[in-house]
Amino acid sequence: MAHRGFTAKDAALTINYIGFIYRTLVAEGYCADALLKNTGLGHDDLSNPDFRCTFEQHKTFAANAMALTGDPHLGPRMGARYNPIHIGLPITAAISSDVLSTALEVLQQYLSLNFSIISLEYLHDGDNILLRWQPVLDVKEIDYFVIGSCLTVGENLLKLVLQREDLPLRADMALSPPPDPEVLEGLLGFAVRFDAPFNQLIIPDQFLQQPLPGTDPLMHQNMVRLCEKQMAESFFDQGIEAQVRGVIIRNHYHPLAIDAAAAALGLSERSLRRQLSNSATSYKKIVDGVREARARELLAVNGLPVTTIAYDLGFSDPSNFARSFKRWVGLTPHEYRDQNGSDSRPGQD
């Protein structure tokens, strides 16, 4: 079956999570019709495991739900109540893994089967494991709803896999603090750093090779095979925005002409532009977003000169990098470092 990257207008998103929110809020007495207003969704759609919605429908539903409840923290609040076992095949494959590293590899590969609006990247960084969440589409209007949900669902997911309630976790969000940020920290039970380079959960790497209580080699193999089968039978591949980000990252964050990026994806330049337009974004916007995130990450490294960061990102002149960074963030690289408490060694910038 041919796969293609989906856009904001494609019926490609699973309704696993918003279906849970819909049923929960209706059970609490909220008006079903008000939740579905202007979404084009029917009541039966959100209980149908085979149904797929567009991002526009997902976004409208989330906005309706937050407006109806008057709760800006609705996404993470619902995520804290969501039982990760309902993720289905991917979580069963993870729980039955031998150690946490195997479980995280499974989730990285297959979580999108039931949470297709985000991708999960698992990284080992020094003494920490990073579970990094990245929306596959531009979710700016509901970014806190999406990323906050990821963090609270992710916490419960780790607790379920490790069968522990006392995990020493931290979190970063690449967002400005929401109103009353202590609400989110209360839901999570640990600190959150806002305006960070990435959206991620952080757990000490002492858990990485820890045997899992639910390990079952036969169950694990069967579940992974079913995940592979379901992935192969899906019509849509990773979202087009996520695919473009991948091309830029593989090019070491250096600028790449759009025709070269299109060729790397097996598309014509015209087709790539059209698909990105359908997702209400552009090639330049995605490239700037990827390079901004990488710049923030590198500026957080103590002692790394700004000139080195500029050249690493493919800028021919550090002053061009400084101008671009100020356009992205509203601060110069040095101002950003001062504001975020990361200082370079004297004389190296």
Side-chain angles (χ1 to χ4, degrees), residues 231-260:
M231 189 74 81
E233 291 175 350
S234 64
F235 180 73
F236 289 102
D237 204 340
Q238 193 178 39
I240 190 64
E241 294 179 48
Q243 292 186 59
V244 171
R245 281 195 292 267
V247 168
I248 302 305
I249 291 169
R250 289 192 295 274
N251 199 49
H252 307 291
Y253 302 91
H254 288 202
L256 188 67
I258 187 171
D259 58 341

Side-chain angles (χ1 to χ4, degrees), residues 102-121:
T102 306
L104 295 179
E105 288 167 5
V106 166
L107 291 170
Q108 178 176 260
Q109 189 167 1
Y110 300 116
L111 187 64
S112 62
L113 286 173
N114 281 325
F115 275 81
S116 47
I117 198 170
I118 56 94
S119 64
L120 172 66
E121 184 182 12

Side-chain angles (χ1 to χ4, degrees), residues 32 103 117 144 173:
I117 198 170
Y144 178 56
M173 291 189 79

Side-chain angles (χ1 to χ4, degrees), residues 111-145:
L111 187 64
S112 62
L113 286 173
N114 281 325
F115 275 81
S116 47
I117 198 170
I118 56 94
S119 64
L120 172 66
E121 184 182 12
Y122 142 59
L123 303 167
H124 191 190
D125 180 29
D127 295 332
N128 293 313
I129 305 165
L130 309 179
L131 274 67
R132 192 168 288 171
W133 309 88
Q134 177 67 53
V136 300
L137 295 166
D138 184 354
V139 300
K140 186 162 292 184
E141 294 179 41
I142 56 167
D143 50 7
Y144 178 56
F145 178 94

Side-chain angles (χ1 to χ4, degrees), residues 18-320:
I18 64 169
F20 162 76
I21 294 175
Y22 171 78
R23 293 187 298 275
T24 300
L25 293 181
V26 169
E28 291 179 354
Y30 290 98
C31 176
D33 289 337
L35 287 167
L36 300 183
K37 183 180 179 181
N38 297 326
T39 64
L41 298 171
H43 304 296
D44 293 339
D45 294 334
L46 294 182
S47 297
N48 180 356
D50 297 321
F51 182 78
R52 298 290 183 271
C53 70
T54 69
F55 174 66
E56 293 299 325
Q57 291 174 312
H58 186 291
K59 180 174 67 175
T60 302
F61 172 83
N64 288 347
M66 286 186 286
L68 194 61
T69 61
D71 185 3
H73 300 279
L74 182 68
R77 199 185 301 279
M78 289 289 106
R81 297 172 60 179
Y82 182 80
N83 188 340
I85 200 68
H86 296 150
I87 294 172
L89 291 176
I91 192 62
T92 308
I95 291 171
S96 57
S97 300
D98 53 353
V99 293
L100 182 60
S101 61
T102 306
L104 295 179
E105 288 167 5
V106 166
L107 291 170
Q108 178 176 260
Q109 189 167 1
Y110 300 116
L111 187 64
S112 62
L113 286 173
N114 281 325
F115 275 81
S116 47
I117 198 170
I118 56 94
S119 64
L120 172 66
E121 184 182 12
Y122 142 59
L123 303 167
H124 191 190
D125 180 29
D127 295 332
N128 293 313
I129 305 165
L130 309 179
L131 274 67
R132 192 168 288 171
W133 309 88
Q134 177 67 53
V136 300
L137 295 166
D138 184 354
V139 300
K140 186 162 292 184
E141 294 179 41
I142 56 167
D143 50 7
Y144 178 56
F145 178 94
V146 173
I147 299 303
S149 297
C150 287
L151 294 183
T152 51
V153 170
E155 179 189 18
N156 286 340
L157 186 154
L158 285 172
K159 288 179 178 179
L160 178 64
V161 171
L162 289 166
Q163 290 294 293
R164 288 187 56 156
E165 290 292 323
D166 58 340
L167 293 176
L169 299 173
R170 292 179 289 125
D172 287 344
M173 291 189 79
L175 305 174
S176 299
D180 303 316
E182 64 275 6
V183 173
L184 176 62
E185 295 188 344
L187 290 168
L188 291 166
F190 50 82
V192 180
R193 180 175 66 125
F194 297 97
D195 293 315
F198 299 102
N199 302 299
Q200 58 191 9
L201 279 171
I202 306 164
I203 181 173
D205 72 344
Q206 69 193 62
F207 296 95
L208 195 58
Q209 297 304 318
Q210 181 171 315
L212 300 183
T215 184
D216 185 327
L218 291 179
M219 173 69 78
H220 178 71
Q221 291 179 53
N222 286 333
M223 292 300 102
V224 168
R225 286 171 183 165
L226 289 172
C227 286
E228 290 172 347
K229 182 175 184 293
Q230 189 172 338
M231 189 74 81
E233 291 175 350
S234 64
F235 180 73
F236 289 102
D237 204 340
Q238 193 178 39
I240 190 64
E241 294 179 48
Q243 292 186 59
V244 171
R245 281 195 292 267
V247 168
I248 302 305
I249 291 169
R250 289 192 295 274
N251 199 49
H252 307 291
Y253 302 91
H254 288 202
L256 188 67
I258 187 171
D259 58 341
L265 293 171
L267 300 169
S268 68
E269 179 181 338
R270 182 178 179 184
S271 176
L272 177 58
R273 288 186 185 277
R274 183 177 64 252
Q275 290 192 45
L276 293 175
S277 177
N278 285 342
S279 282
T281 189
S282 69
Y283 182 69
K284 185 179 186 304
K285 184 176 180 180
I286 295 172
V287 172
D288 282 352
V290 169
R291 299 177 88 200
E292 175 192 338
R294 180 61 173 168
R296 287 174 181 262
E297 181 182 28
L298 294 176
L299 285 166
V301 178
N302 287 326
L304 186 61
V306 171
T307 52
T308 299
I309 295 171
Y311 293 132
D312 281 351
L313 290 171
F315 287 90
S316 59
D317 188 308
S319 61
N320 291 337

